[in-house]
Amino acid sequence: MAEKKVNPFIEPLNKNNPIAMQILGICSALAVTVEMKPAIIMGLSVTIIVALANVVISLIRNTIPNSVRIIVQLVVVAALVTVVSEFLKAFVYDVSVQLSVYIGLIITNCILMGRLEAYAMQNKPWDSFLDGLGNGCGYAIILIIVSFFRELLGSGSLLGCKIIPENWFVDNGGCYMNNGLMMMPSMALILVACVIWVHRSINKDIE
Amino acid sequence: MNFITKMFDKMEPTFSEGGKLSALHSLYDGFKSFMLIPNDTAKSGVHIHDVNDSKRTMIMVVIALVPCMLFGMWNTGAQHFQAIGVEAGFWMQFWFGFLAVLPIVLVSYIVGLGIEFTVAQWKKEEIQEGFLVTGFIIPLIVPVDTPLWMIAIATAFAVIFAKEVFGGTGYNIFNVALVTRAFLFFSYPSKMSGDKVWVRTGDAFGWGGEAIDSFSCATPLGQVATGTQPDVTFFDAFMGFIPGSVGETSALCILIGAAILLCTGVASWKTMLSVFVGGALTAMAFNAWGPADNAAAQLPWFMHLVLGGFAFGAVFMATDPVTSARTETGKWIYGLLIGFMAIVIRVLNPGYAEGMMLAILLMNIFGCLIDWCVVQANINRRMKRAINK
């Protein structure tokens, strides 16, 4: 089997993107993308956790008894999530409040368990680290694209700075209004669908 | 007619493959089949034939909608001159309403047909007639004060995401006009509800004037949502002399439309009747056993049927042949559930004064499921009969 060696970091960024291709982690992608700042923080947190969890599991992969491997993986992820959650509470408290349960719920994010089961259990630590990093970044890219449009069209701002001039708005005599649907998760789902649409139109070779 | 045929024949080479304007051939095809009878119907084989093609069906619906549109234009003008405190004659009221509504009709058609033509051209398919009705309904179900750019965005959204991505006319799960309204309703709630938007308070092309102070134009259902009984009589509500979306106020004009649809066999009387029956029964139940302090629950059942978009939805939206249930038993279930849901949303959800839009969209999802259950039940019944023998 002379399988072509794929780069574990580049592959999940595009061709095997966790959201656009594997359709994993959609739930949190809908929930945290109302504004860009929490989306970026969420993307970073997931990247760090999945990369480190991959390394840890990969290091001990030969000693984990097969029958309890899910529990071992959960313990590792739970420990990392707790550390990240406490870190966010200490240094960026407002974002941590905004993200509320979704940091804690990273533990149930399918991307994590998926990568641990599918990759870290079979591969060496360095490759696993790259794979985790790639998947986390792939997830973060989609989050940032979706939150860019949601914040721009839903609140008229980017990263908290007002982009659309104040005097365009109806209240100030203009005729523009922010789109309330953009603040709702249903529109995030449609935006994710659009991202997937564009992604598949560009990469015609993936099915 | 001969002249038109000649004109199209002369233009044919320009628009066909290799011609100068071949990029616009779907536009040409569309106008040709709109003006003339298309030549390419099935001529042999075992196809089921009907004298109606989809263009004729669509035109029938548009004709049925015309009374609502004309009355809506007059009512827009009448409400406006009442709001600015000016006496005006019938024609003045009508022309004002005409000028206020016309831009909405134009925007809806230009945006919707533009997208349809583009997609047809891009996918190398023939243009479908589906948007003729949708484009006519959209102006009828929005408040007259809705900004035009919002209508453009909402129409584009609905045509692309509710219709074209599913495969175009005839494949949509949701009623496209209702998706347009739902998009507006959730995106720009301050322009789609409340007591400010239902009557044109500005001018139309420099005509008309500003509303007098202290003028309030809450719809009857809006008043109900704030906990008071509406101050309109059944006669006013039936005739349509009340504020509301352009085409939905007059139950009389809607009934004329319903008669046209039923006589021509375009819409199903089962769906129509069962929506009214479902709504009436639910409202009666709320009248009898509902909470006494809830104004919507205590609103008489016959008022529920003539206020808001109930009648319009029952006649023109619920009967949409694409999105409704298709089996005959399914139509009864589908209609009853729409009537039931619409009244339940009106009464029990204080956030939404009007429940018809959400009720129909909700039942659109279940239309195919109802059909499936009806068909399965039929199969099971006949299977049992066969085995018992």
Side-chain angles (χ1 to χ4, degrees):
Chain A
M1 289 283 279
E3 218 173 84
K4 200 183 145 213
K5 180 93 171 80
V6 292
N7 188 329
F9 178 69
I10 300 296
E11 192 67 8
L13 282 184
N14 184 18
K15 288 285 171 63
N16 197 21
N17 189 292
I19 292 186
M21 201 53 215
Q22 305 169 29
I23 320 287
L24 296 176
I26 297 286
C27 173
S28 55
L30 305 189
V32 301
T33 50
V34 175
E35 285 170 22
M36 274 189 92
K37 198 173 165 195
I40 293 172
I41 302 264
M42 181 74 181
L44 270 178
S45 310
V46 170
T47 309
I48 291 166
I49 291 170
V50 74
L52 292 183
N54 261 4
V55 173
V56 173
I57 292 295
S58 173
L59 283 173
I60 59 173
R61 69 184 187 278
N62 295 324
T63 57
I64 302 175
N66 201 30
S67 48
V68 293
R69 64 180 199 283
I70 299 284
I71 295 180
V72 174
Q73 290 164 4
L74 274 179
V75 169
V76 172
V77 177
L80 286 167
V81 167
T82 311
V83 171
V84 168
S85 170
E86 293 298 318
F87 180 86
L88 289 183
K89 267 187 199 146
F91 291 98
V92 276
Y93 184 72
D94 53 329
V95 177
S96 137
V97 170
Q98 234 175 334
L99 287 170
S100 66
V101 295
Y102 289 98
I103 287 291
L105 282 178
I106 292 178
I107 193 170
T108 61
N109 196 319
C110 323
I111 297 174
L112 273 142
M113 299 307 282
R115 289 336 285 172
L116 294 181
E117 275 286 291
Y119 202 89
M121 290 297 284
Q122 286 95 33
N123 287 285
K124 297 211 175 80
W126 177 243
D127 281 350
S128 298
F129 176 72
L130 287 181
D131 178 77
L133 215 56
N135 274 289
C137 290
Y139 172 80
I141 288 172
I142 307 285
L143 248 61
I144 290 168
I145 295 173
V146 172
S147 64
F148 172 83
F149 287 110
R150 284 184 78 184
E151 190 174 351
L152 181 65
L153 300 175
S155 330
S157 57
L158 284 177
L159 284 169
C161 315
K162 289 281 172 209
I163 295 291
I164 293 173
E166 282 295 320
N167 56 1
W168 282 20
F169 285 93
V170 172
D171 301 339
N172 307 327
C175 64
Y176 182 78
M177 270 180 100
N178 284 323
N179 189 319
L181 199 61
M182 283 286 170
M183 310 299 275
M184 296 186 196
S186 48
M187 198 64 197
L189 193 65
I190 291 173
L191 282 177
V192 170
C194 290
V195 170
I196 294 175
W197 187 2
V198 172
H199 182 245
R200 303 231 167 163
S201 312
I202 296 171
N203 300 294
K204 292 231 189 282
D205 51 329
I206 51 179
E207 273 305 315
Chain B
M1 196 49 101
N2 211 4
F3 165 72
I4 298 174
T5 320
K6 265 189 198 146
M7 198 174 73
F8 274 106
D9 283 346
K10 214 166 110 189
M11 289 197 304
E12 176 95 47
T14 328
F15 286 100
S16 47
E17 202 76 31
K20 244 190 250 166
L21 293 171
S22 66
L24 293 172
H25 81 87
S26 64
L27 193 72
Y28 165 79
D29 278 351
F31 275 101
K32 188 177 174 188
S33 88
F34 185 79
M35 302 295 254
L36 307 165
I37 299 167
N39 235 348
D40 45 2
T41 47
K43 290 193 179 68
S44 66
V46 288
H47 310 285
I48 297 172
H49 280 269
D50 192 333
V51 286
N52 277 338
D53 64 346
S54 75
K55 181 181 75 174
R56 290 297 163 86
T57 310
M58 300 289 177
I59 296 276
M60 243 35 229
V61 181
V62 171
I63 290 172
L65 283 163
V66 163
C68 291
M69 178 64 100
L70 293 180
F71 182 87
M73 285 173 171
W74 172 78
N75 192 39
T76 303
Q79 297 286 340
H80 170 78
F81 285 111
Q82 200 185 331
I84 62 174
V86 171
E87 288 286 318
F90 173 83
W91 285 108
M92 205 167 152
Q93 290 169 336
F94 180 81
W95 280 115
F96 178 85
F98 181 78
L99 289 179
V101 176
L102 190 67
I104 307 181
V105 181
L106 289 179
V107 166
S108 141
Y109 268 119
I110 291 169
V111 172
L113 285 178
I115 292 170
E116 293 242 317
F117 278 119
T118 314
V119 172
Q121 188 71 45
W122 177 33
K123 289 162 88 177
K124 303 204 182 344
E125 285 172 357
E126 266 184 52
I127 181 81
Q128 298 288 335
E129 295 91 347
F131 197 77
L132 281 185
V133 172
T134 311
F136 206 78
I137 289 184
I138 290 170
L140 294 176
I141 55 173
V142 296
V144 67
D145 250 0
T146 317
L148 295 177
W149 66 271
M150 286 182 187
I151 297 199
I153 290 178
T155 308
F157 175 86
V159 172
I160 294 172
F161 286 100
K163 190 159 156 191
E164 295 303 341
V165 295
F166 287 104
T169 303
Y171 297 93
N172 45 318
I173 297 175
F174 299 107
N175 186 310
V176 181
L178 273 179
V179 172
T180 310
R181 193 180 196 285
F183 182 87
L184 286 169
F185 183 79
F186 288 109
S187 295
Y188 309 107
S190 64
K191 285 283 172 194
M192 292 298 289
S193 51
D195 56 1
K196 295 275 183 289
V197 300
W198 303 102
V199 171
R200 170 62 64 101
T201 44
D203 50 21
F205 297 106
W207 192 22
E210 292 291 315
I212 48 175
D213 289 345
S214 82
F215 172 74
S216 164
C217 56
T219 59
L221 280 178
Q223 295 171 351
V224 170
T226 56
T228 51
Q229 288 296 332
D231 52 4
V232 294
T233 61
F234 178 78
F235 178 76
D236 278 353
F238 181 78
M239 296 301 288
F241 306 139
I242 50 174
S245 299
V246 175
E248 65 168 26
T249 56
S250 171
L252 179 69
C253 292
I254 293 166
L255 284 180
I256 297 172
I260 298 176
L261 288 183
L262 293 180
C263 289
T264 50
V266 169
S268 155
W269 63 272
K270 288 175 186 166
T271 318
M272 238 182 247
L273 180 67
S274 56
V275 175
F276 281 112
V277 170
L281 288 179
T282 316
M284 279 182 212
F286 274 118
N287 286 347
W289 300 297
D293 54 347
N294 186 330
Q298 294 308 321
L299 188 69
W301 63 271
F302 49 85
M303 291 299 278
H304 265 299
L305 301 189
V306 293
L307 290 182
F310 193 93
F312 192 88
V315 171
F316 294 108
M317 310 289 227
T319 55
D320 174 4
V322 177
T323 55
S324 80
R326 289 172 199 204
T327 51
E328 298 302 310
T329 322
K331 283 176 186 165
W332 284 107
I333 302 171
Y334 175 82
L336 284 171
L337 283 172
I338 286 180
F340 169 75
M341 286 305 302
I343 303 295
V344 165
I345 294 171
R346 273 187 192 181
V347 173
L348 295 183
N349 190 335
Y352 304 133
E354 175 56 297
M356 201 57 190
M357 169 184 84
L358 296 170
I360 297 177
L361 283 176
L362 183 71
M363 291 315 295
N364 279 172
I365 307 174
F366 291 105
C368 326
L369 190 64
I370 294 171
D371 278 345
W372 186 83
C373 291
V374 170
V375 170
Q376 282 303 315
N378 205 19
I379 290 174
N380 288 344
R381 203 182 64 238
R382 300 181 68 155
M383 196 79 100
K384 220 180 260 166
R385 199 161 58 199
I387 292 169
N388 283 348
K389 266 188 184 165

